[in-house]
Amino acid sequence: MEPVGYNNMKKLVEYMPRLLRRVSAKVKKPIVILLDSLDQLSAKDDSYLLNWLPTVLPSNLRMIVSTLPREHKILDTLKKLFPDTTNFVEVPSLPDKTCFEIIDKYLAKRKSCHTNSKNKLVSAFRKCPGPLFLKLILNEAVKWNSYTPIIEVVLKDSVQGAINLLFENMEKKFGQVLISHALGYITVAEYGISDLEWEDVLSCDDEVLDDIYRYHDPPVDGIVQMPPVLLARIRYDLKEYIVERRSFGKTTLNWYHRQFTETAHERYATGSAGNKLHKVLAQYFIANDGIKGTLHFTDEEKQ
């Protein structure tokens, strides 16, 4: 029953109904498959035409799909495939009451229940009432303390603005050069980048190494590489915004939402900056026996 040449989209599409029937017969219980955000699919293999989506399902299996209404005409295509209007439900904006409950529980769980925090969160949410935006501003708000200067208590009024604020704060914490390159490689890697590749390519990036070792020498004489502990800290701060996916037999890191990809691309991967990222990434994947080069560190006073 396994598909022959499963990397062929046509064979996969032919195999899917058989797989669903087999699973349905084996489980013999109600099954619900949820496919969220069809609009975030890659455009390859004409995915937006939805030729791959089964239109006939076993009696004990149901499928729920979601998409933004105006992206890639996916909703129009779904309506042609399934003319019965009762199959469609519009998901409304997150209501204020639900938002308030989420804010209260989220802040209480993290023991951060300042009145000013709640007021700012509610005010910001009303300008952009969506779950992703709420998640971003909540994660920003839990960093505030009762003694945090009011000038530092800042929230944006859009998803893109909130993502940029997250990136800006990471740049302040880890340095603009390191973050712009580290997040840039996640962004420009077409099929994602593995943890090992991420560390390796940053270790091949002269600008990153020069920035990291500006004020001190590498800990091991003769070996210059990206400190794994530093990358682990960046990974930890991004844990809610990146996902792991299987790509060509390995696990890769990817942005979990399209708006992160778009914002990161605009911030880090356009123009000459983007060209440099692609160049280093290409050199890394082309090299068979490692990349050799001479590093010239900026002459700064070493501590």
Side-chain angles (χ1 to χ4, degrees), residues 93-129:
S93 298
L94 201 62
D96 282 1
K97 181 180 178 182
T98 304
C99 167
F100 301 155
E101 292 175 355
I102 293 173
I103 290 174
D104 284 338
K105 291 181 179 179
Y106 195 91
L107 295 181
K109 185 177 181 181
R110 287 157 179 77
K111 299 179 181 179
S112 176
C113 300
H114 311 301
T115 302
N116 288 340
S117 298
K118 291 183 181 180
N119 292 339
K120 276 190 168 289
L121 287 165
V122 170
S123 177
F125 172 77
R126 284 174 172 159
K127 297 176 183 177
C128 185

Side-chain angles (χ1 to χ4, degrees), residues 37-42 48 74 245 255-259:
S37 301
L38 297 186
D39 51 281
Q40 294 193 52
L41 286 171
S42 164
Y48 301 140
I74 293 175
R245 294 178 183 147
W255 292 115
Y256 101 108
H257 196 280
R258 172 179 49 83
Q259 288 184 274

Side-chain angles (χ1 to χ4, degrees), residues 153-214:
V153 180
V154 177
L155 291 175
K156 301 298 183 178
D157 57 6
S158 68
V159 172
Q160 185 179 31
I163 295 173
N164 270 314
L165 180 61
L166 169 69
F167 291 164
E168 181 182 326
N169 288 337
M170 291 190 70
E171 290 169 11
K172 292 177 181 177
K173 182 176 180 179
F174 296 103
Q176 194 277 334
V177 172
L178 174 56
I179 289 300
S180 65
H181 288 234
L183 305 194
Y185 288 125
I186 295 177
T187 305
V188 302
E190 184 175 3
Y191 299 104
I193 189 167
S194 71
D195 281 301
L196 181 59
E197 291 167 348
W198 198 27
E199 181 181 333
D200 282 350
V201 77
L202 286 167
S203 297
C204 296
D205 191 319
D206 291 356
E207 288 186 42
V208 170
L209 296 177
D210 184 43
D211 186 66
I212 291 173
Y213 296 112
R214 183 178 295 269

Side-chain angles (χ1 to χ4, degrees), residues 16-52:
M16 180 61 72
R18 299 200 303 273
L19 174 64
L20 294 179
R21 287 196 298 270
R22 187 175 69 174
V23 172
S24 170
K26 185 174 182 179
V27 175
K28 297 180 180 178
K29 292 181 180 180
I31 301 171
V32 177
I33 298 175
L34 175 60
L35 301 179
D36 189 23
S37 301
L38 297 186
D39 51 281
Q40 294 193 52
L41 286 171
S42 164
K44 290 189 174 182
D45 298 305
D46 295 323
S47 62
Y48 301 140
L49 296 179
L50 305 183
N51 294 327
W52 52 270

Side-chain angles (χ1 to χ4, degrees), residues 241-275:
Y241 307 115
I242 54 177
V243 293
E244 294 182 346
R245 294 178 183 147
R246 295 293 293 174
S247 177
F248 296 99
K250 60 187 176 184
T251 302
T252 61
L253 306 178
N254 301 262
W255 292 115
Y256 101 108
H257 196 280
R258 172 179 49 83
Q259 288 184 274
F260 272 87
T261 304
E262 293 173 354
T263 304
H265 186 272
E266 182 179 337
R267 189 178 182 95
Y268 300 127
T270 58
S272 60
N275 292 337

